[in-house]
Amino acid sequence: MASKESDFLRELYQSWSERMAANPNMTIDDMRDVFDEWERPTKEPEGVTYKSDCVAGVNAIWALPLDADAKKVLIYTHGGGFVVGSSSSHRKLAGHVAKALNATCLVLNYRLAPEAPFPAQLDDVIAVYKKMLEKGFLPENITMMGDSAGGNLAISSVLNFRDKGLSLPSSVIVFSPWLDMELTGSTLDENDATDALVKRSVLEAMAGMFLGENGSATNPLANPLYADFTNFPPLYINAGSEETLLDDARRVHSVANKAGVNSMLSVVDNMQHVFPFLAGRAVEADEEINKIAVWYRGLAS
Amino acid sequence: MASKESDFLRELYQSWSERMAANPNMTIDDMRDVFDEWERPTKEPEGVTYKSDCVAGVNAIWALPLDADAKKVLIYTHGGGFVVGSSSSHRKLAGHVAKALNATCLVLNYRLAPEAPFPAQLDDVIAVYKKMLEKGFLPENITMMGDSAGGNLAISSVLNFRDKGLSLPSSVIVFSPWLDMELTGSTLDENDATDALVKRSVLEAMAGMFLGENGSATNPLANPLYADFTNFPPLYINAGSEETLLDDARRVHSVANKAGVNSMLSVVDNMQHVFPFLAGRAVEADEEINKIAVWYRGLAS
């Protein structure tokens, strides 16, 4: 049974769905403001300081847990269908994960669609990654991390780094990744009644804005379910059982496994999309983040 | 001449004004989301940690600068016409001020109108203040602080504490206070062309929601320009020269001065409403916050 505290996220999503249904012509600016409410479920992680920065032209927030290992960094690409979400909406979530992993975290405000369609997001992330290597961060101390569309971007960026011949990060962690731009996952319909936010119509609209005129729904860098995962670093994937995107998590786990990747899938019962947003509030999120920390530490040993 | 960086706040306000004009039936929820963009001008203050809390039933965020004097606290009541704004929109601003003053800061999510009209806000703040005294904070180590409507609330709360026989905080700091619920200030019209956000029509709507059925625009606890400032603690007031609310700042300074209060008024040329939101971005905000720190330290000596 889900904790009472976890209702907060479901109710937040329900309120967004109702507001979007009541205002079908909602502007992109208004929708971005609604999704910035994503910060609400997350309690402030204690003992974390922050710093505004601009890395390779990309605005970002550093989350700096006190006493974190400054050599280790998580590069976090936020969710929001490549259209909404921000470093502000994800600051606290990133802070919780960084603290648990005893690492620093750079939360990127990469360019969003429709103003900047595919591959602008990949271009921003690889520019940041190269700049981090220039600054002296070692690939083995870098983890790519993201949720939802940002989980796609974390994975596709590593594929992009590999294809460009760069040394790869040590690991990739994704929450509720949205990968399938063709929207063929079985849970899109099976979990339509339980997922309070992510509906086929929303995904269709966002995929259209993301892919724009030049993107393809089957390009492995837009849809990593089509990718070759050879030599991909260890991958941690989670999802909630109530999600329409659950099947994306399962399928990328399967694809990665078949390619010999060290892949871990964690599906948590009765949880909504990107339930780690409940960090500090609901036990399910805190336990999941602890589980990720154990996995992360295990990679080094 | 204003710094180029300070244009950020004016342009943000212009964008809000355009969006509200284009959507005259904007819901309260949507308007709250728009005003939560208030966090955007402010850079992260470095070396500050945060903690979510609930004090006397009021949700709040602690801003805890590293090495701050934990005995000293600023109780911060955010602006937004008593209708919008949040501890999230003001977290970074509060962090900058707390850091400059070497104090901790408690940023309150007090109840908002129209759901909770006057005097719900005063009730929340006095409950928090009593709880802080119970927790062992000394009145001489407490400063009440706020911006815009929250500047009103900082001042009216101290009047309320005094009327209820409580020991008073050591000082009160207000940014661009909105005090006059009758909207009689001369700058409402004089600065209508230069203020990118605060227009008479917006204030009228917010005053109506705030006062509700039981409030009066001439009640000294809703409109401190009608208050007796006898025994009021030292008061720091600032405003921007471009503001429609400039006259509220000038008038409360005059009223307080006449009652023998140690009152300081700082008007900064070419600045918009609550220009300290530009902390970490524009020199005018950083200089103003330094000036407040000098004034605050001077009180103790």
Side-chain angles (χ1 to χ4, degrees):
Chain A
M1 207 179 83
S3 70
K4 192 169 166 295
E5 292 77 14
S6 72
D7 290 342
F8 190 98
L9 189 63
R10 188 179 297 102
E11 288 165 8
L12 183 71
Y13 286 167
Q14 280 164 349
S15 75
W16 295 357
S17 294
E18 286 163 16
R19 288 166 64 187
M20 289 190 284
N23 186 5
N25 298 316
M26 186 179 278
T27 66
I28 294 277
D29 283 341
D30 287 346
M31 197 171 294
R32 286 178 182 154
D33 283 352
V34 169
F35 276 81
D36 269 357
E37 292 187 8
W38 248 337
E39 65 91 19
R40 293 190 186 173
T42 318
K43 299 280 189 180
E44 291 286 349
E46 296 177 36
V48 179
T49 74
Y50 303 90
K51 179 181 156 89
S52 302
D53 202 355
C54 183
V55 179
V58 179
N59 285 322
I61 300 173
W62 283 97
L64 302 164
L66 300 177
D67 308 319
D69 183 343
K71 298 190 302 298
K72 292 187 179 166
V73 63
L74 319 171
I75 299 179
Y76 197 107
T77 47
H78 68 77
F82 302 108
V83 172
V84 301
S86 68
S87 55
S88 294
S89 59
H90 286 64
R91 172 188 60 86
K92 287 182 279 185
L93 171 56
H96 277 281
V97 178
K99 190 175 161 182
L101 272 54
N102 193 38
T104 67
C105 183
L106 185 66
V107 193
L108 304 184
N109 254 344
Y110 59 85
R111 282 173 294 165
L112 296 176
E115 298 92 329
F118 176 90
Q121 295 72 31
L122 286 166
D123 292 346
D124 282 354
V125 176
I126 198 168
V128 168
Y129 186 67
K130 285 179 177 172
K131 177 62 77 174
M132 296 295 279
L133 297 179
E134 262 179 56
K135 284 174 184 279
F137 285 95
L138 300 176
E140 58 259 40
N141 287 327
I142 300 179
T143 295
M144 302 304 295
M145 183 166 185
D147 61 286
S148 194
N152 181 330
L153 185 53
I155 291 171
S156 57
S157 287
V158 173
L159 298 166
N160 189 35
F161 302 165
R162 184 198 59 191
D163 295 352
K164 300 266 166 55
L166 299 177
S167 297
L168 297 189
S170 69
S171 54
V172 181
I173 300 170
V174 295
F175 299 155
S176 301
W178 174 36
L179 305 163
D180 179 3
M181 295 295 131
E182 298 176 300
L183 308 178
T184 62
S186 65
T187 46
L188 269 183
D189 295 324
E190 289 163 19
N191 285 348
D192 182 69
T194 52
D195 191 312
L197 176 65
V198 182
K199 306 294 179 184
R200 184 182 289 275
S201 58
V202 175
L203 293 175
E204 277 171 354
M206 287 174 158
M209 288 187 260
F210 169 54
L211 296 172
E213 293 185 359
N214 301 313
S216 152
T218 59
N219 181 332
L221 293 179
N223 179 349
L225 295 180
Y226 281 93
D228 171 9
F229 275 76
T230 304
N231 295 327
F232 199 86
L235 174 63
Y236 188 106
I237 308 153
N238 76 22
S241 70
E242 295 185 345
E243 289 200 60
T244 54
L245 291 176
L246 171 58
D247 206 39
D248 283 32
R250 286 182 193 148
R251 286 184 290 167
V252 74
H253 176 61
S254 169
V255 168
N257 251 328
K258 281 180 192 150
V261 176
N262 170 4
S263 177
M264 165 81 178
L265 174 65
S266 171
V267 178
V268 178
D269 280 348
N270 305 310
M271 288 295 109
Q272 292 281 316
H273 189 52
V274 198
F275 67 92
F277 269 123
L278 291 158
R281 179 185 296 275
V283 63
E284 292 89 346
D286 292 334
E287 284 180 357
E288 176 63 22
I289 291 171
N290 285 337
K291 195 170 155 184
I292 293 167
V294 169
W295 177 85
Y296 177 81
R297 285 195 298 269
L299 297 177
S301 63
Chain B
M1 206 180 81
S3 70
K4 190 168 166 296
E5 292 77 15
S6 72
D7 291 342
F8 190 98
L9 189 63
R10 188 179 298 100
E11 288 165 9
L12 183 71
Y13 285 169
Q14 280 163 350
S15 75
W16 295 358
S17 293
E18 285 162 17
R19 288 167 63 185
M20 289 189 285
N23 186 4
N25 298 317
M26 187 179 278
T27 66
I28 294 277
D29 283 340
D30 287 346
M31 197 171 294
R32 285 178 182 153
D33 283 351
V34 169
F35 276 81
D36 269 357
E37 292 187 7
W38 248 337
E39 65 90 20
R40 293 190 186 173
T42 318
K43 300 279 189 179
E44 292 285 349
E46 295 177 37
V48 179
T49 74
Y50 303 90
K51 180 182 153 90
S52 302
D53 202 356
C54 183
V55 179
V58 179
N59 285 321
I61 300 173
W62 282 98
L64 301 164
L66 300 178
D67 308 320
D69 183 343
K71 296 189 304 298
K72 292 186 178 166
V73 63
L74 319 171
I75 299 178
Y76 197 107
T77 47
H78 68 78
F82 303 110
V83 173
V84 301
S86 68
S87 54
S88 294
S89 58
H90 286 64
R91 172 187 61 84
K92 287 183 278 184
L93 171 56
H96 278 281
V97 178
K99 189 175 161 182
L101 272 55
N102 193 38
T104 66
C105 183
L106 185 66
V107 192
L108 304 183
N109 253 345
Y110 59 83
R111 283 173 292 167
L112 296 177
E115 297 91 330
F118 176 91
Q121 295 72 31
L122 287 165
D123 293 345
D124 282 354
V125 177
I126 198 168
V128 168
Y129 186 67
K130 285 179 177 172
K131 178 62 75 176
M132 296 294 279
L133 297 180
E134 264 179 53
K135 284 173 183 281
F137 285 96
L138 300 176
E140 59 260 40
N141 287 328
I142 301 178
T143 294
M144 302 303 297
M145 183 163 186
D147 61 286
S148 195
N152 181 329
L153 185 53
I155 292 172
S156 58
S157 287
V158 173
L159 297 166
N160 190 34
F161 302 164
R162 182 197 61 191
D163 296 352
K164 300 265 165 61
L166 299 176
S167 298
L168 298 189
S170 69
S171 54
V172 181
I173 300 169
V174 294
F175 298 155
S176 302
W178 174 36
L179 305 163
D180 179 2
M181 295 295 131
E182 298 177 301
L183 307 179
T184 63
S186 64
T187 46
L188 270 183
D189 295 324
E190 290 164 19
N191 286 349
D192 182 68
T194 53
D195 191 311
L197 175 66
V198 183
K199 306 292 179 185
R200 184 182 289 276
S201 57
V202 175
L203 293 175
E204 277 171 354
M206 286 176 159
M209 288 187 259
F210 169 55
L211 295 173
E213 292 185 356
N214 301 312
S216 153
T218 59
N219 181 332
L221 293 179
N223 179 348
L225 297 179
Y226 280 94
D228 171 8
F229 275 76
T230 305
N231 296 326
F232 199 87
L235 174 63
Y236 188 106
I237 308 154
N238 75 23
S241 70
E242 294 186 344
E243 288 199 60
T244 54
L245 290 176
L246 171 58
D247 206 40
D248 282 33
R250 287 180 192 149
R251 287 183 290 166
V252 74
H253 177 61
S254 169
V255 167
N257 251 328
K258 281 179 189 149
V261 175
N262 169 4
S263 178
M264 166 81 177
L265 174 65
S266 171
V267 178
V268 178
D269 281 350
N270 306 311
M271 288 294 110
Q272 292 281 316
H273 189 51
V274 198
F275 68 93
F277 269 122
L278 291 157
R281 179 185 296 274
V283 63
E284 292 91 345
D286 292 334
E287 284 180 357
E288 176 64 21
I289 290 171
N290 284 337
K291 195 169 156 186
I292 293 168
V294 170
W295 177 85
Y296 177 81
R297 286 195 297 269
L299 297 176
S301 62

